[in-house]
Amino acid sequence: MGFVIMNSSFFILFFLHLFCLPFFTLPFAVSTEIVCIPSEAEALLKLKHYLNDSSNTLSSWNSSAISNCCLWPAVVCNNVTAHVLQLHLNSSFEWTCAVNGTISSLFAENLDWLSSLSKLEYLDLGGIDLSKSFDWLHTLQALPSLTDLHLSLCTLPPYSQPSLLNFSSLLTLDLSITSYSSAISSIPRWIFGLRKLVSLQFRGNNIQGPIPHGIQNLTLLQNLDLSFNSLSSSIPDWLYGLHHLNFLNLEYNKLNGTISDALGNLTSLVELHLSNNQFSENPFESLRSLSKLSSLEIGDNHFEGVVKEDHLANLTSLKVFYASGNNFTLKVGPNWLPTFQLTGLDMSSWQLGPNFPSWIQSQNKLEVIVMSNTGILDPIPTWFWEAFSQASYVNLSHNNIHGELVTTLRNPISIRSVDLSTNHLCGKLPYLSNYVIWLDLSSNSFLESMDDFLCKKQDKPMNLEFLNLASNNLSGEIPDCWMIWPFLMDVNLQSNHFVGNLPPSMASLAELQSLQIRNNSLSGIFPTILKKTDQLICLDLGENNLSGTIPAWVGA
């Protein structure tokens, strides 16, 4: 076991669960009666020959199965003509299920084999190293039926502006998170000639400067994604003239300026993502006419101003509203009922208080509720817990919410993740259902023992993984019933008034990775029971009255 004792500060380790996606998983069914065209099967075998397939993901592609290449993984054929219509060779989905998961990437020396697939409509080469395929662009543009081209996470050869390109049928182009052997800082100019393009994804490529004016040539665009770059201009007027746009993503750039009233011309917009930029002033005059908008994300900008009922009245399709990290004040009447029905809400740093916003009671489909730092002074009403008992995440932290939490709860908390930290809640700790996996009640005024919370009304193992009760007024000995909480990974009890030593049942926390009980009144010898918690990597027992020597196995 290896862990360290922290002397002055603590760290919260919260681990996200990664789900491994299967390689070449396709939503298609192919009839066993379909027999692939021999010349196209030969082309696919050439592909396999030119690929450095170190993980052997194409092992089932072999000459013994040449009469039935339509059944090979990653291949989709036409159910009538048997021509190969789609190739899904995205190696970026082959992740190892480990903390240091890596991509096992394919390497292609050339793409000449593609010329035999004249009916190919959909090609996904995501994650493949094409750095030695110097003619990749001319090879791909020669495919007369190609409509969808996906090259995300590819490594491409040094860029040079091609001539005489003719992607006559291309509708969708995804060049997200691509890298060139020699880095580029702008969108390649050949893309601006793709006049039929309806979807352009160029996120995560570190392009710089203003939004490229060549995009205005792509007048049929419905989907434009330039997120996670370093663009640093205002939104140009011509962009508001792309009337077919229904998805626009400009988040995580350095864009600035105000949002023009001309945004209202984009009446087909369904999703608008402007978060994490430097936009200013009040955008809701421009947003108010976008009646088809279902997802609006404008968080972490420099927006400010008063938002009134009229600004929101026409947003009848809105389902996701994330607008945290700005300086807005919501000014609505006490009986206001929104015209939308949200599933996700983040209004952190808005001025919503001092009263608890009663209008949220009408939003009974909410799964995510974030109203942190919003000036709320009221207790949490009983109807809140009943209306949102099935929510997945609630964050009401950094307010001035007061009162005894248990008096507003008729049933144990069942919300998956709850953050009520940095308020003025008091009384006993609330009961939990075993649906809860993340609970932060730190920096409040909860009193008395943890015994009821930890040991009573628990008839089966609890699923909680993260527990933060730091900076309260909890007292007494730490209860000895941790065996009921077998999945805990992070426990923070620092800055309370606990006495005694760690109870023996803490040794049962086989998943525990972080334990912080600094600044209490613990006494006795160093708790040797922790030797059994072999996953522990962060331990903070400072500012207590523990004695004796630190065992040699600590930090080993």
Side-chain angles (χ1 to χ4, degrees):
M1 176 176 66
F3 57 79
V4 294
I5 297 179
M6 309 303 293
N7 292 320
S8 59
S9 63
F10 67 90
F11 298 94
I12 296 175
L13 304 178
F14 184 65
F15 290 81
L16 297 176
H17 297 289
L18 300 178
F19 296 90
C20 294
L21 300 176
F23 184 53
F24 298 153
T25 300
L26 301 177
F28 302 100
V30 181
S31 169
T32 55
E33 298 177 359
I34 295 297
V35 178
C36 71
I37 297 170
S39 61
E40 297 189 355
E42 291 288 356
L44 295 176
L45 290 175
K46 288 181 180 178
L47 156 65
K48 182 179 178 181
H49 173 74
Y50 284 117
L51 285 175
N52 179 1
D53 182 14
S54 59
S55 56
N56 209 26
T57 52
L58 302 180
S59 59
S60 60
W61 290 25
N62 56 71
S63 57
S64 65
I66 194 171
S67 63
N68 207 11
C69 71
C70 290
L71 298 180
W72 291 352
V75 178
V76 177
C77 294
N78 184 293
N79 282 335
V80 177
T81 67
H83 279 293
V84 175
L85 295 183
Q86 301 186 17
L87 279 180
H88 297 253
L89 295 170
N90 195 323
S91 70
S92 65
F93 289 124
E94 190 184 50
W95 291 85
T96 59
C97 292
V99 175
N100 60 342
T102 57
I103 296 175
S104 179
S105 181
L106 298 171
F107 176 84
E109 294 182 2
N110 73 65
L111 300 177
D112 292 344
W113 51 272
L114 277 169
S115 59
S116 299
L117 304 179
S118 60
K119 301 299 182 181
L120 191 66
E121 298 176 357
Y122 182 104
L123 179 61
D124 188 347
L125 299 176
I128 295 181
D129 186 346
L130 301 175
S131 60
K132 302 299 182 183
S133 301
F134 297 105
D135 293 330
W136 70 276
L137 196 51
H138 284 284
T139 302
L140 295 177
Q141 65 95 31
L143 296 172
S145 302
L146 191 64
T147 59
D148 291 76
L149 178 58
H150 299 264
L151 299 174
S152 60
L153 289 163
C154 280
T155 301
L156 301 174
Y159 174 70
S160 60
Q161 176 63 21
S163 59
L164 301 175
L165 282 182
N166 183 27
F167 278 100
S168 57
S169 56
L170 198 63
L171 302 177
T172 297
L173 177 61
D174 184 357
L175 286 169
S176 299
I177 323 178
T178 53
S179 59
Y180 286 82
S181 299
S182 299
I184 63 170
S185 60
S186 60
I187 295 180
R189 294 195 304 275
W190 61 268
I191 293 175
F192 305 142
L194 305 178
R195 300 302 180 100
K196 294 184 179 180
L197 213 59
V198 298
S199 177
L200 174 60
Q201 299 178 57
F202 209 82
R203 66 182 180 275
N205 288 307
N206 198 34
I207 58 172
Q208 302 170 13
I211 297 176
H213 63 84
I215 294 176
Q216 67 184 308
N217 298 332
L218 311 179
T219 57
L220 300 180
L221 275 181
Q222 299 175 21
N223 178 349
L224 177 59
D225 188 347
L226 301 177
S227 60
F228 291 92
N229 284 290
S230 298
L231 298 170
S232 56
S233 66
S234 59
I235 296 178
D237 290 340
W238 55 259
L239 191 144
Y240 301 117
L242 298 176
H243 299 298
H244 297 286
L245 280 178
N246 56 54
F247 178 95
L248 177 61
N249 191 348
L250 301 176
E251 65 185 9
Y252 287 92
N253 279 284
K254 301 174 183 177
L255 297 170
N256 53 62
T258 62
I259 305 301
S260 169
D261 290 345
L263 178 66
N265 297 333
L266 302 181
T267 55
S268 296
L269 267 182
V270 175
E271 293 192 34
L272 178 61
H273 304 264
L274 302 177
S275 298
N276 294 87
N277 281 286
Q278 299 166 16
F279 294 118
S280 58
E281 297 190 13
N282 192 336
F284 282 92
E285 286 292 341
S286 307
L287 294 166
R288 64 193 305 168
S289 61
L290 301 180
S291 60
K292 294 182 180 179
L293 204 60
S294 70
S295 180
L296 176 60
E297 300 187 17
I298 58 172
D300 295 299
N301 280 282
H302 303 313
F303 291 129
E304 60 183 351
V306 175
V307 179
K308 302 179 180 179
E309 294 180 23
D310 289 348
H311 289 133
L312 305 173
N314 291 328
L315 302 181
T316 54
S317 301
L318 201 60
K319 291 181 171 58
V320 175
F321 182 39
Y322 294 157
S324 64
N326 291 291
N327 190 20
F328 289 121
T329 297
L330 182 65
K331 189 174 183 180
V332 296
N335 299 317
W336 178 58
L337 290 177
T339 57
F340 44 74
Q341 189 63 245
L342 299 175
T343 59
L345 172 69
D346 187 349
M347 300 180 75
S348 297
S349 299
W350 284 54
Q351 181 58 41
L352 301 180
N355 299 324
F356 199 95
S358 59
W359 57 267
I360 200 174
Q361 187 173 7
S362 68
Q363 305 297 297
N364 55 22
K365 295 183 179 179
L366 275 170
E367 299 174 5
V368 174
I369 307 168
V370 185
M371 296 189 297
S372 174
N373 188 32
T374 54
I376 298 174
L377 301 179
D378 277 350
I380 301 173
T382 299
W383 60 255
F384 179 86
W385 299 110
E386 296 173 349
F388 303 114
S389 61
Q390 301 304 311
S392 59
Y393 180 56
V394 167
N395 185 343
L396 302 177
S397 65
H398 293 86
N399 283 290
N400 292 296
I401 297 171
H402 63 275
E404 294 191 23
L405 187 57
V406 293
T407 63
T408 70
L409 288 164
R410 294 179 179 173
N411 297 295
I413 293 175
S414 59
I415 298 164
R416 296 280 285 175
S417 299
V418 178
D419 187 349
L420 301 178
S421 62
T422 317
N423 279 288
H424 299 298
L425 296 166
C426 61
K428 288 188 174 183
L429 293 169
Y431 291 117
L432 306 182
S433 78
N434 67 344
Y435 293 109
V436 183
I437 62 171
W438 200 96
L439 179 67
D440 191 344
L441 299 178
S442 62
S443 300
N444 279 284
S445 300
F446 289 104
L447 296 167
E448 302 182 14
S449 167
M450 285 180 65
D451 189 67
D452 283 356
F453 168 79
L454 207 65
C455 305
K456 294 184 179 179
K457 294 190 176 182
Q458 320 297 1
D459 55 356
K460 54 185 174 180
M462 305 297 285
N463 291 311
L464 195 70
E465 298 177 5
F466 177 96
L467 174 63
N468 190 350
L469 301 177
S471 301
N472 279 283
N473 293 312
L474 300 170
S475 58
E477 293 189 352
I478 297 174
D480 190 16
C481 48
W482 293 90
M483 71 288 292
I484 305 172
W485 307 79
F487 303 108
L488 276 169
M489 299 167 58
D490 191 318
V491 176
N492 190 340
L493 305 177
Q494 72 172 8
S495 299
N496 281 284
H497 307 292
F498 293 115
V499 298
N501 208 320
L502 300 191
S505 61
M506 269 196 163
S508 68
L509 300 178
E511 304 297 325
L512 191 64
Q513 298 178 9
S514 177
L515 177 62
Q516 300 168 67
I517 319 185
R518 164 180 290 273
N519 190 26
N520 279 277
S521 298
L522 299 181
S523 59
I525 63 171
F526 184 91
T528 56
I529 60 166
L530 294 176
K531 186 175 182 179
K532 297 180 180 180
T533 55
D534 56 7
Q535 299 297 312
L536 196 61
I537 58 176
C538 180
L539 174 65
D540 189 351
L541 299 176
E543 296 183 69
N544 281 287
N545 297 313
L546 297 170
S547 59
T549 59
I550 297 176
W553 47 262
V554 175

